[in-house]
Amino acid sequence: MNLQGDRRLRRRRIVNRLAEGSATVAALLAVLVLGIVVWSIAKRGAGELSWGFLTKDLPLFGQPGGGIAPLLVGSALLVGIATAIALPVAVLIAVFLEEFASPRVGAAIQLCVDLLNGLPSIIIGVFVFGLLVYGHPQNGWAGSVGLSIVMLPLVTRATQEVLRLVPTSQREGALALGASRWRTVLGITLPSAAGGILTGTVLAVARAVGETAPLLFATSIFGRTIEWNPGHALPNLPVQIFIWSESDLPEDHARAWASALVLLIFVLVTSLTARLVLARTRRRMG
Amino acid sequence: MSAVPMTQELRGGRRLRDRFGDRLLLIVTSAAGLGAVVLIGFIAYKVIRGAHLALSTFGLPFVWHTAWDTNKNVFGAAPGLYGTAVTSLIALLIATPLALGIALFLSELAPRSLRLVVGSLVETLAAIPSVVLGLWGILVLGPFLADHVEPWLHNSFGFLPIFSGTPQSSGIFVAGVILAIMVVPIVASVCRELFLSVPPELEEGALALGATRWEMVRGVVLSSSRPGIGAAVILGLGRALGEAIAVTQVIGAGWFIRSSLFAPGDTLASRIAGQYQGAVSKLQIASLFYLAAILLVIGLLTNLLAQIVVKRFAFQRTGGS
Amino acid sequence: MSQGVTMPPMRPVDVAVRQETESQTHETVFDIQGLQAGYGSNVAIKGVDLEIYRNVITAVIGPSGCGKSTFIRCLNRMNDEVPSFRHEGTILYHGVDLYGDGVEPVEVRRRIGMVFQKANPFPKTIYDNVAWAPRVLGLKKDLDERVEKALQSAALWDEVKDRLKRSALSLSGGQQQRLCIARAIAIEPEVLLLDEPASALDPIATQRIEELMQSLKQDYTIVIVTHNMQQAARVADRTAFFSIDSDEDGRYGVLVEYDETPKIFTAPSDRRTEDYVTGRFG
Amino acid sequence: MSQGVTMPPMRPVDVAVRQETESQTHETVFDIQGLQAGYGSNVAIKGVDLEIYRNVITAVIGPSGCGKSTFIRCLNRMNDEVPSFRHEGTILYHGVDLYGDGVEPVEVRRRIGMVFQKANPFPKTIYDNVAWAPRVLGLKKDLDERVEKALQSAALWDEVKDRLKRSALSLSGGQQQRLCIARAIAIEPEVLLLDEPASALDPIATQRIEELMQSLKQDYTIVIVTHNMQQAARVADRTAFFSIDSDEDGRYGVLVEYDETPKIFTAPSDRRTEDYVTGRFG
Amino acid sequence: MLRSPFQEELDQLEASLQEEGALVLRVLRGALNALAQRDVELADDVIAFDDDVDRRYLQIEQGIEHLLALQTPVAIDLRLVLAILHTNLHLERMADYGVTVAKLTKLVADVEPDPLLLQSLEEMGERAEEMIRVALDAFANRDLEAAESLVELDELIDRSNRRFVDRVVEIVGEPGMREWALRMVVVSRTLERIGDHAVDIGEQVAYLLTAEFREFTDASHRG
Amino acid sequence: MLRSPFQEELDQLEASLQEEGALVLRVLRGALNALAQRDVELADDVIAFDDDVDRRYLQIEQGIEHLLALQTPVAIDLRLVLAILHTNLHLERMADYGVTVAKLTKLVADVEPDPLLLQSLEEMGERAEEMIRVALDAFANRDLEAAESLVELDELIDRSNRRFVDRVVEIVGEPGMREWALRMVVVSRTLERIGDHAVDIGEQVAYLLTAEFREFTDASHRG
Ligand SMILES: Nc1ncnc2c1ncn2[C@@H]1O[C@H](COP(=O)(O)OP(=O)(O)OP(=O)(O)O)[C@@H](O)[C@H]1O
Ligand SMILES: Nc1ncnc2c1ncn2[C@@H]1O[C@H](COP(=O)(O)OP(=O)(O)OP(=O)(O)O)[C@@H](O)[C@H]1O
Ligand SMILES: [Mg+2]
Ligand SMILES: [Mg+2]
Ligand SMILES: O=P([O-])([O-])[O-]
């Protein structure tokens, strides 16, 4: 009885090793790139960061100093409004798709949601420009609508995914108890999905807050002070980073790095926690 | 326990609220669903509507004309199409094998404890805003490639026209690499989901037949997810085609077609993004809308393609036969 | 004159065997006539005539795909949830046509509870699992008592009374299934439909469910679908055997034989039943 | 002197009962000594001593969680795939320590095939399902013949010979399970391990699998885990009963009794076995 | 722990068997009394009463069939079912023997019996009753020793039977007694057979307890 | 379709039963010949041969136990198992009766028999053999009519037995014949019992075929 295998098996084992090695190297490379990106941004941006940088108005052109407070406020407003628009609509679409739609209608709407998801964000920018800006002054509303179109399919898909995780058997269980449809959806299905919807929304926020293209035509020409009125163009982080990055001035580059660091920290922290929570939810719900 | 039922009650009565609630929920949600359809249509309409002037002025030849002259008011899309195609191609060539490796590592090889960590890190790479990545690309990656990688490529493969020309810190090649970095996590995470969705029973089945892990992966995991991998790559392609900001930052802007990859260039998206402030004439704006329309069509087509592939794939998985 | 021993008239010997369900003494709960049901253009069952009696356990057995689930899901209109579902024929429930005009499926399901193959507790606490439906249906008075009573009827109270606030998902498979039964009982249905309630459970948990069914029989009319013939033999008073037939309508299930369980397992009248229960098939 | 009828020495009466497996005439395939296995710090089975004989069907029964799957997966080192798996004791396979130095799990699994509870055909054609492993293992000669032979041994050939190029997923559950058996057979293993191979199948498909096992017994040594005691009774020559014990190591499975199947089901020696097979537990 | 419906059915079946045993004892006592007192009416009662035993017998048979068809008993449960099945047969047979005695009684009711022989028949009858009781108790109490003791009790009956035949050979010459004597030979043999059946019940008890079937003595080499 | 192992076991069991029947016939023939020829040696052979029957009986019993424990037969299969079980018991009993005849033969081997009585015993024996054959064939062929015909055959034996006793009463006065006559009463009764058992087998056949158990005639009101 020889359980050690023959020459052939030894060769197969070497191939196996090689394949496993390459996959591992690829994964390491990805992690390495992330590390380099984060590290270089942190290295260059950390020096500029200060309390003043976070709380002051934007610098005058060509002047040193200044801060990014208007950008933080503007981005928060833009994303907040976008979330308020996208979240309810997205949840409703997801509920329709998962609970009511007939296969045909469902497939059509699903396709539209997927197309929205794959839509280049610059097109959304162009669309919003054509719809809300062309012929008007730039304004925050338009930017928020653009971001909400970015968020809509993300939240929809996330919601759908958790709704799908709620087993059919549970809906059947509720219906078999004599509960009506809406009771079942509101009482059993959505509560089970709430956590997932929340994390999905957080992920969408993390994505939207860094989106530049939809804002480019809608709210890219703004003042240097804090602006609370969405009727006006709202200063915001991504567009300003873009502007600074295109600049030739080293101090603008420094500001860009620091702002990028702020944005990056926010995005990484939120999306990482949301992802961890999501992974836990998924595991719990099977 | 209740006695013989009162037949009346079977016919509802107090259930008015239930019926009303059901109706209401159905109406509201289906309205929202309809909204998604309307939105897509509206976007297409608006974009094409905006391009109306350019469409009527240049017609279809716009697509293969190369000029972008604001003074003479002649515009064409060809250089952008070329740039889009080449940058996307570079991105996919780099990203696909890497993404597959990562996905395999995450789904089949890594110990469970490492999976979550590495997986989250890879997804985090996708979460980096493109403007930030572009900033890094223009200030860190571009110079690095220009100093180290491009000269090596030039020296080794300079006989190929694509590697001729002088290395530069911004240009098509750098844009391609940045796009690759953006695409890798997308393709990797879709593929990982795909691999994870290969039922563990199948994998056990292969191992129980005396296959090595790699043979199992090749014979069961990869082969059963091949169409899905195709769809994932197409999804990545969609992302690469449409990415505007980061590309704008690193591509160096140039509306011409050069054989060298090191030369600056433009993609459809980067041209639109790059001209956001400078547009002077209505025709120029309409031409930008025209570019957007082309991009929209390409984007929709790739997405549709991905959908179709996935459909076929689902069909194959469930064995409709 | 006989002394020593007299032979008194013997008292009637009380039967040592399972008490036969005398259907004539049992009220008819479901009266099913000419039932045909299917999905889209496919016929799943055809020409089913059947009466189901009160406080009797009725088992439905038959080969896979013969329409057992389709049949049982007609009884509480669960099939309404399948868009392509079609049916003909009548199902009278205590004389009322279940599919008649104005009959609310929601109300039907409240009266005719159902438990599924895979235990499907809600991801709520044990208490809330049982209390949810009564709350929704407005039976909020004495809710605690109601929950306790339901859990007791489902033979689960002793095992969970100290952890009512724990998640239902922390229970074992068998306990989860009993919880689902408790949940169904909590709204005081008249009938319990069980679609292979124990097929995912191990023998011990299965036995507990079977014991539970026996004790629930006092208060409920029970219909159980099962793959496990021995289970039908053990628990059911009456057994309906479905088989697959085919003609130009395709392959569909038909009711072959419906009788007292002992009859089905000792002396079935139909050859197909005999072939099935003895394990000789096609 | 006796005429008319003589009483010739009677020929030995040939026994009308199942031929008892005479273990002494059967070669030992697995010799398991002091096997303890578990996951992380949890012990799943402990102190298992057992010999498994050649061309004999050995059934493993016992309550859920008693470690049946853990046990059977030790026999072909499938448990190596579980990172936290730990074991002690020895498993000799034809005298060779399965977990010994230099033993390749890959080679072990080739020789000791396994079929799982859920049929797991690859999403390939029927033909490729069977041909895949031989190809990988380099047994490419006469592949068509090999595939046909395997399908024939698995009693599936007649049903699929006209559609070898169709997807394996188009087969019914029972056919899929037989395909998995064919797939395992195609690389000519010496042992077949079956972990609840029929628990997801209906009675008809189950019966076919059982018949198949009987015919495979000629060529293979078969070990089957089953929840269904009657299945063990019907198909197995020998039966091992595992039960759950507990001490300071927590709850773990132990081998309670291992004997000829008729013995286990008519006159088990251990009280726990008797309680289990007769349905009196806990 | 709750007794399962199956266990309850099994218990009921066993209880029913014990009741059948009690009926058999009544049949036998009745037959013996009728014989001793030449009471034709009582003999008729005994013959009629056997129908009750038969009914009980059939019910137990049917109960066993249902149990086997519906409950798939194994191991000790199966042995119990089979032991009940066999015992039921033996009891029914014993009752039939009681009827045989009653019928023979009727045939010779007008003949003055030989008191000595009658006395010895009564003794054999008592022994048979004793054996039935021992057998039933051994069953009820799962008492292997008691079951095995039946062999010795049977020895006694066998011996009585042999002595009885010898004695009959002596008196059968008297013409008035001829038929009576011939009939009584059969009665004696019948009582002896009852003993044999009691031994057989004992064997069933042993089978139930030890899971091995063995004949206490080889029936064919008996009396 | 393939016969399942279960079906095969069942078939084997039934075949085994038929073989047992053949053995019983040989025992009976042997016993009758020994009786007719006063052949003590043959009688001993018969007595010894019964052990083979007993072994076969036990094997069938065990086969049934295994089948019930392992295969959970129901419906027709269960009835077949139970019919085999009962028939097995009856056959074993018949063989024992053969032994009884052989033993009685030995006890009176030195007495010159009454040729007329002997003749009528031989006739009864042949009838009994005939009945056994009919019963076994009815079982093998699932022949309800044949099974029911056993009742009439049994009538004949019963009548012979009654006539035999009457005749014995006549001759028992002769001192030389007394013991012989007494023994022969038992032999006659024994043969009559064999007939009864054959009827019982017929009842089992009917049960197997109709799924209803009924006694063809009430045993207790018989002979
Ligand atoms: N939702 C559905 N849509 C379409 N066809 C269905 C649906 N449910 C069942 N069927 C079909 O109806 C027929 C009967 O199915 P059903 O589930 O009632 O059988 P079953 O007897 O319960 O089978 P099983 O024992 O496998 O549960 C099958 O042919 C099945 O494919
Ligand atoms: N991969 C695993 N990781 C950790 N624990 C495990 C794993 N597999 C099984 N166990 C544990 O080991 C013990 C034995 O499990 P095993 O699956 O062997 O039992 P089983 O007898 O096959 O049960 P079942 O009848 O439910 O299949 C259980 O307590 C189980 O929770
Ligand atoms: Mg079903
Ligand atoms: Mg297991
Ligand atoms: O009636 P018997 O038991 O002696 O055959």
Side-chain angles (χ1 to χ4, degrees), chain A residues 103 167-181 183-184 187-188 191-192 284-285, chain C residues 73 76 78 81 106 109-110 112-114 116 118 120-124 132-133 136-137 183-184 187:
Chain A
T168 336
S169 61
Q170 268 178 24
R171 291 182 190 106
E172 280 195 327
L175 291 173
L177 288 170
S180 58
R181 242 337 156 68
R183 285 284 197 186
T184 305
I188 300 295
S192 309
R284 221 191 46 224
M285 293 181 70
Chain C
R73 291 164 66 97
N76 73 339
M78 264 324 268
E81 300 304 315
V106 167
R109 293 187 203 130
R110 196 200 70 62
I112 305 173
M114 185 156 196
F116 301 84
K118 210 170 145 282
N120 56 355
F122 303 136
K124 300 175 185 282
W132 185 75
V136 163
L137 298 170
R183 194 173 70 178
I187 49 173

Side-chain angles (χ1 to χ4, degrees), chain D residues 65 68-70 117 195-196 225 227:
Chain D
K68 303 182 294 294
S69 298
T70 301
Q117 171 167 10
D195 193 353
E196 308 203 21
V225 166
H227 253 149

Side-chain angles (χ1 to χ4, degrees), chain E residues 89-90 93-94 96-97 189 193-194 196-197 200, chain F residues 89-90 93-94 96-97 189 193-194 196-197 200:
Chain E
L89 280 164
H90 291 304
R93 195 51 101 201
M94 287 173 173
D96 280 357
Y97 280 130
R189 177 160 178 85
R193 293 288 301 134
I194 290 182
D196 289 349
H197 282 286
D200 289 346
Chain F
L89 281 164
H90 291 305
R93 194 51 102 199
M94 286 174 176
D96 281 356
Y97 280 131
R189 177 162 177 84
R193 291 291 300 136
I194 290 181
D196 289 349
H197 281 287
D200 288 347

